[in-house]
Amino acid sequence: MNRYERWNVLLEMVAEAGQLDVVEVAEQLKVSTATIRRDFDELAAQQLLTRTRGGAIAHSVSYDLPLRYKVAQHAPEKQRIGSAAAALVPEGSTVALNGGTTTTEVARALATRDLGGDHRGPALTVVTNALNIAHELVVRPHLHVVTTGGSARAQSYELVGPVATSMLERIALDVAVLGVDALDLDHGASAHNEGEAAINQLMALKARQVIVVADGSKLGKRAFARICPLNQVNVLVTDSTAPPELIPRLTEAGVRVVQV
């Protein structure tokens, strides 16, 4: 378990219990008490919990954090992809995130990433059409969160339609991190739903850099609605299950492939 995964576990624990003891948590997570003290100090600095003598208690904000979730319910591959993609986002940039389980892991990694600086202003501006991602990130003081507006899709928590399109047409993005349903050499990146694909396409068009995050099961496949051709994808972050014969072909096509 890396530091960011451990932080999320600690936030879940303090939200459920209300109060944590350093020694008990260290034994439960099988790490040193010094590690847990540092974790508590850093989470307290982000105003996500309150330090006490020998432990921590739930912050008035962090008690209701939507970040409370069961880490075990999420595939380790997607967590690794999320951490690797988040590391590619420069501090001070404006980054777009669409909806999906993998981009949610990117958002969680951004939320707990040490971005440096003094945080007198936002370390990142996050533009998203995903309600769940906005919900998780809005409590983070070092992030400026902007939602697109639009009509919500229950299947993905994504906002789509002309309101979302209108908003995205008026902004500039440094990075777009896109979760996709499929990535194919000929068809490019694609999604099952045409409404989501249209918003994702606009995010890709408005960004200087496009990062696609997808586990190996989605590679070499096509979905109904195209998001963007392969030549618009700058980086693919994927896992070790990616088809090995596909990686050199993606590289030849100009896509930087990061495998985790």
Side-chain angles (χ1 to χ4, degrees):
M1 184 184 297
N2 63 35
R3 177 175 59 164
Y4 308 119
E5 293 168 343
R6 192 172 61 250
W7 283 1
N8 287 326
V9 171
L10 291 172
L11 288 174
E12 179 186 278
M13 290 171 67
V14 75
E16 291 178 352
Q19 182 173 341
L20 298 176
D21 177 80
V22 168
V23 176
E24 291 177 359
V25 171
E27 290 176 355
Q28 187 172 344
L29 299 186
K30 294 180 173 54
V31 296
S32 69
T33 56
T35 295
I36 296 301
R37 289 192 183 94
R38 283 195 299 269
D39 288 342
F40 282 168
D41 288 342
E42 292 182 62
L43 290 170
Q46 296 184 50
Q47 302 177 8
L48 296 174
L49 49 72
T50 300
R51 281 290 269 126
T52 62
R53 185 178 179 86
I57 59 174
H59 191 276
S60 58
V61 172
S62 68
Y63 184 80
D64 292 322
L65 276 176
L67 194 61
R68 291 184 300 170
Y69 68 100
K70 300 294 185 183
V71 174
Q73 293 177 353
H74 301 277
E77 293 82 4
K78 291 186 178 183
Q79 291 180 5
R80 291 197 297 271
I81 290 170
S83 295
L88 299 175
V89 178
E91 182 178 356
S93 61
T94 298
V95 54
L97 296 173
N98 67 347
T101 54
T102 309
T103 48
T104 297
E105 294 299 342
V106 177
R108 288 168 175 158
L110 287 173
T112 52
R113 176 179 148 200
D114 183 5
L115 290 162
D118 56 17
H119 300 327
R120 285 179 292 186
L124 285 175
T125 295
V126 178
V127 177
T128 185
N129 71 323
L131 292 171
N132 67 308
I133 288 176
H135 191 198
E136 293 209 7
L137 298 187
V138 70
V139 296
R140 302 290 181 160
H142 61 294
L143 301 178
H144 176 213
V145 181
V146 180
T147 58
T148 62
S151 300
R153 295 194 72 244
Q155 297 89 337
S156 63
Y157 301 111
E158 287 186 85
L159 300 167
V160 299
V163 174
T165 299
S166 177
M167 181 274 185
L168 287 170
E169 286 174 342
R170 296 197 298 269
I171 66 171
L173 300 170
D174 297 308
V175 183
V177 181
L178 302 178
V180 303
D181 291 318
L183 184 70
D184 178 73
L185 288 167
D186 298 321
H187 194 55
S190 53
H192 296 307
N193 179 268
E194 65 271 22
E196 292 176 5
I199 298 302
N200 300 344
Q201 181 182 61
L202 192 50
M203 286 180 173
L205 286 171
K206 302 296 285 187
R208 290 177 174 171
Q209 183 183 43
V210 175
I211 301 173
V212 167
V213 289
D215 61 71
S217 68
K218 297 178 179 178
L219 303 186
K221 298 180 180 178
R222 302 198 299 177
F224 173 68
R226 188 185 203 185
I227 295 171
C228 65
L230 197 62
N231 61 15
Q232 276 187 252
V233 178
N234 302 107
V235 182
L236 167 67
V237 184
T238 187
D239 59 25
S240 59
T241 67
E245 70 279 3
L246 195 61
I247 302 304
R249 298 184 66 187
L250 288 167
T251 303
E252 289 172 7
V255 179
R256 176 189 169 196
V257 179
V258 177
Q259 279 188 280
V260 295

